[in-house]
């Protein structure tokens, strides 16, 4: 005959399951960079509406994004491509060098395979189109912090097909026409900055800026600032 267990006895206590409180993880801290205030406001509403995401810093251009990332504790940088002073791709390269633990996403209106591969080279782990940000951005942020790549739906097949075609032709990935430093100077020249101003922004001498500018003209087969500006627009470095 079994002995009844009375409440409060050691046997009763041993059989009572212990409730475990789940450990709450702090939200992912996001730096959001876009030169359009309305776009930033809309994207912030999307991200701040999620319990595991919070925008802790904003920037209006790539250079400001780099500065904010250095003085604010952030886990993820979401960068637009076309921004003044420094593009999102340029900022991504700089952030990857300075803050290798920072996760980076590119948010763009450009459904462009060249930008996608350039984003990967720059250190980004994802590429999200603004046109479907309300659908894809939240999952892309979570994937980036898990160190998982994110490619917007519909792009995978086209990108793989294009890459395989290149390999079949023996082309490999597209090569950069100009160096990263030349790209930085090209953007600033196209935005109307003087050699002195560019030197101050990039911490190089005006004479070095002039040398890079001459190399750009020669490499690209161009004659003046106007042609460089047109090239910068076509390359997505500045907006028309």
């Amino acid at each position: 005959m079994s002995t009844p267990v009375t409440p409060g006895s050691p046997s009763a206590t041993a059989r009572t399951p212990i409730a475990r409180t789940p450990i709450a993880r702090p939200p992912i801290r996001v730096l959001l960079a876009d030169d359009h205030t309305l776009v930033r406001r809309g994207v912030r509403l999307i991200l701040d509406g999620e319990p595991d995401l919070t925008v802790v810093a904003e920037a209006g251009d790539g250079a400001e994004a780099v500065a904010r990332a250095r003085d604010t504790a952030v886990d993820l940088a979401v960068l637009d491509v076309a921004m003044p002073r420094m593009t999102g791709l340029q900022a991504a390269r700089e952030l990857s060098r300075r803050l290798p633990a920072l996760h980076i996403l590119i948010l763009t209106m450009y459904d462009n395979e060249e930008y996608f591969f350039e984003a990967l080279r720059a250190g980004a782990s994802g590429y999200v189109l603004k046109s479907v940000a309300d659908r894809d951005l939240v999952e892309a942020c979570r994937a980036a912090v898990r160190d998982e790549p994110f490619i917007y739906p519909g792009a995978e097949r086209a990108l793989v097909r294009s890459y395989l075609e290149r390999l079949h032709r023996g082309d490999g990935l597209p090569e950069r026409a100009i160096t990263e430093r030349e790209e930085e100077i090209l953007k600033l020249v196209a935005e109307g900055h003087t050699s002195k101003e560019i030197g101050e922004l990039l911490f190089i001498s005006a004479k070095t800026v002039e040398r890079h500018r001459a190399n750009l003209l020669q490499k690209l087969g161009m004659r003046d600032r106007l042609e460089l500006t047109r090239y910068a627009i076509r390359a997505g470095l500045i907006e028309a």
Side-chain angles (χ1 to χ4, degrees):
M1 181 175 179
S2 60
T3 305
V5 177
T6 57
S9 68
S11 298
T13 304
R15 294 180 186 179
T16 303
I18 299 173
R20 297 185 180 274
T21 303
I23 300 173
R25 296 180 181 274
I28 298 164
R29 298 163 298 185
V30 181
L31 162 65
L32 176 59
D34 194 296
D35 58 321
H36 294 98
T37 304
L38 288 177
V39 173
R40 289 204 311 272
R41 188 176 300 165
V43 173
R44 181 164 195 156
L45 283 172
I46 294 172
L47 298 181
D48 283 345
E50 300 295 321
D52 58 334
L53 297 167
T54 180
V55 176
V56 297
E58 294 187 27
D61 60 60
E64 185 183 359
V66 172
R68 295 304 306 274
R70 295 183 69 187
D71 63 26
T72 308
V74 295
D75 306 302
L76 171 68
V78 179
L79 309 172
D80 183 26
V81 169
M83 292 189 288
R85 293 204 296 164
M86 184 184 284
T87 69
L89 295 176
Q90 291 170 343
R93 287 195 289 264
E94 187 69 14
L95 289 170
S96 294
R97 284 193 290 262
R98 294 174 179 267
L99 302 167
L102 180 65
H103 304 283
I104 300 171
L105 272 182
I106 296 297
L107 179 64
T108 178
M109 67 174 64
Y110 300 108
D111 186 356
N112 183 300
E113 140 191 3
E114 184 177 346
Y115 283 138
F116 170 76
F117 285 121
E118 196 60 43
L120 296 184
R121 286 195 190 101
S125 58
Y127 191 90
V128 181
L129 296 180
K130 288 183 178 180
S131 58
V132 289
D134 57 336
R135 182 192 71 192
D136 293 342
L137 183 57
V138 168
E139 182 51 40
C141 289
R142 292 168 179 157
V145 173
R146 293 193 303 265
D147 286 322
E148 297 174 3
F150 182 90
I151 307 174
Y152 57 95
E156 298 96 331
R157 186 175 300 175
L159 288 169
V160 171
R161 185 190 308 117
S162 175
Y163 179 66
L164 292 176
E165 287 173 356
R166 280 204 190 93
L167 289 181
H168 184 70
R169 295 194 304 265
D171 295 341
L173 290 177
E175 295 296 326
R176 294 177 58 86
I178 58 178
T179 67
E180 292 178 8
R181 177 61 89 189
E182 287 169 344
E183 182 186 272
E184 291 171 346
I185 289 171
L186 169 61
K187 176 176 175 58
L188 294 169
V189 166
E191 288 178 345
H193 295 279
T194 66
S195 294
K196 183 175 182 296
E197 290 169 341
I198 295 172
E200 290 171 352
L201 284 168
L202 300 180
F203 304 102
I204 57 179
S205 69
K207 189 173 182 180
T208 301
V209 174
E210 290 294 336
R211 187 168 68 249
H212 280 301
R213 182 172 170 172
N215 288 340
L216 277 168
L217 292 170
Q218 183 178 13
K219 273 187 177 183
L220 300 175
M222 297 177 180
R223 295 170 296 178
D224 53 28
R225 179 197 291 268
L226 180 58
E227 290 189 345
L228 287 175
T229 301
R230 288 172 178 161
Y231 179 89
I233 293 171
R234 291 197 305 273
L237 296 175
I238 63 172
E239 295 180 339

